[in-house]
Amino acid sequence: SQSRYMNIPEFENIRDEYFSGYTFKFVLFNLDSLRKFIETEILFPLGVRLRSNNNSKIGLAVLDRPTLNIDAPTLDHSLITKIPTYDVDDTKIFNKLRIEWNYNDATGKYLNLSEYTDATSETQFGHRKPFSMKFKGLRSTLAGQTAVDKIAEIFFLRFSVGWVQQPRFIVTGK
């Protein structure tokens, strides 16, 4: 299908390639911003962001992967106005992840908590404060645990060296 404003084939290709079998379930009411809801509850858990394609249509960028295959302008000396600087140190390392999911709309509480630890990173850098995420749409009745485990794997992969090392994590939760 065609759209004047959205790159529908790109959405469908990304869905089929990366997220086959993922199902979200939401109850929507009193939303201030549908866009913010979609970004927070669907795109963020999947590591996907809305973007503008070179053809001015809304598309998707799949993040947290070894290669970003998106049609974006090439950055060269004509576009960079100052020397890029990077600020990376071991205080920004997360080796624990805490995900609350399986939201109960009636009680307003998350029914599941999955916690992950990258044991290799913890051995190298020590215990760190966990990074926390909450996902209302991932439900236990819709293979939510499988999706949460994959989100954790992708989260730790983006911090691993050269994308070669598989994270070895310890899983706890209710």
Side-chain angles (χ1 to χ4, degrees):
S1 61
Q2 294 293 323
S3 170
R4 186 172 169 191
Y5 303 106
M6 297 178 69
N7 188 341
I8 301 297
E10 181 178 75
F11 278 74
E12 291 171 341
N13 290 340
I14 287 173
R15 177 200 61 203
D16 296 344
E17 182 176 348
Y18 294 103
F19 307 113
S20 178
Y22 281 60
T23 304
F24 290 83
K25 179 181 178 183
F26 298 102
V27 175
L28 302 177
F29 56 93
N30 293 331
L31 289 179
D32 292 328
S33 169
L34 182 59
R35 180 195 54 84
K36 184 173 178 164
F37 177 84
I38 290 170
E39 289 176 340
T40 304
E41 297 294 338
I42 299 173
L43 300 181
F44 178 69
L46 299 176
V48 177
R49 301 296 181 270
L50 292 173
R51 68 185 186 90
S52 175
N53 293 337
N54 277 342
N55 63 7
S56 300
K57 289 187 177 187
I58 296 171
L60 294 176
V62 180
L63 307 178
D64 304 333
R65 301 295 192 278
T67 305
L68 293 177
N69 292 322
I70 59 176
D71 62 335
T74 302
L75 295 178
D76 60 21
H77 68 279
S78 67
L79 297 173
I80 298 174
T81 59
K82 63 181 183 176
I83 297 174
T85 60
Y86 302 94
D87 182 21
V88 177
D89 60 57
D90 68 0
T91 64
K92 296 179 174 89
I93 292 173
F94 291 101
N95 51 28
K96 293 189 179 299
L97 177 61
R98 186 176 197 272
I99 301 176
E100 292 181 76
W101 60 284
N102 199 22
Y103 188 76
N104 183 311
D105 297 296
T107 65
K109 296 182 180 181
Y110 293 90
L111 303 178
N112 292 77
L113 169 65
S114 297
E115 295 179 310
Y116 304 85
T117 301
D118 184 333
T120 304
S121 174
E122 192 170 53
T123 299
Q124 184 175 357
F125 299 104
H127 173 75
R128 302 297 173 133
K129 181 180 173 184
F131 187 86
S132 295
M133 298 178 176
K134 294 181 180 183
F135 304 130
K136 290 182 178 178
L138 295 173
R139 307 294 175 123
S140 59
T141 56
L142 300 171
Q145 185 65 61
T146 302
V148 168
D149 289 344
K150 187 67 176 173
I151 290 166
E153 179 184 344
I154 291 168
F155 177 84
F156 287 121
L157 274 175
R158 58 183 212 167
F159 298 114
S160 66
V161 179
W163 284 75
V164 176
Q165 174 185 337
Q166 288 289 328
R168 287 175 235 129
F169 49 74
I170 302 163
V171 180
T172 60
K174 59 180 177 179

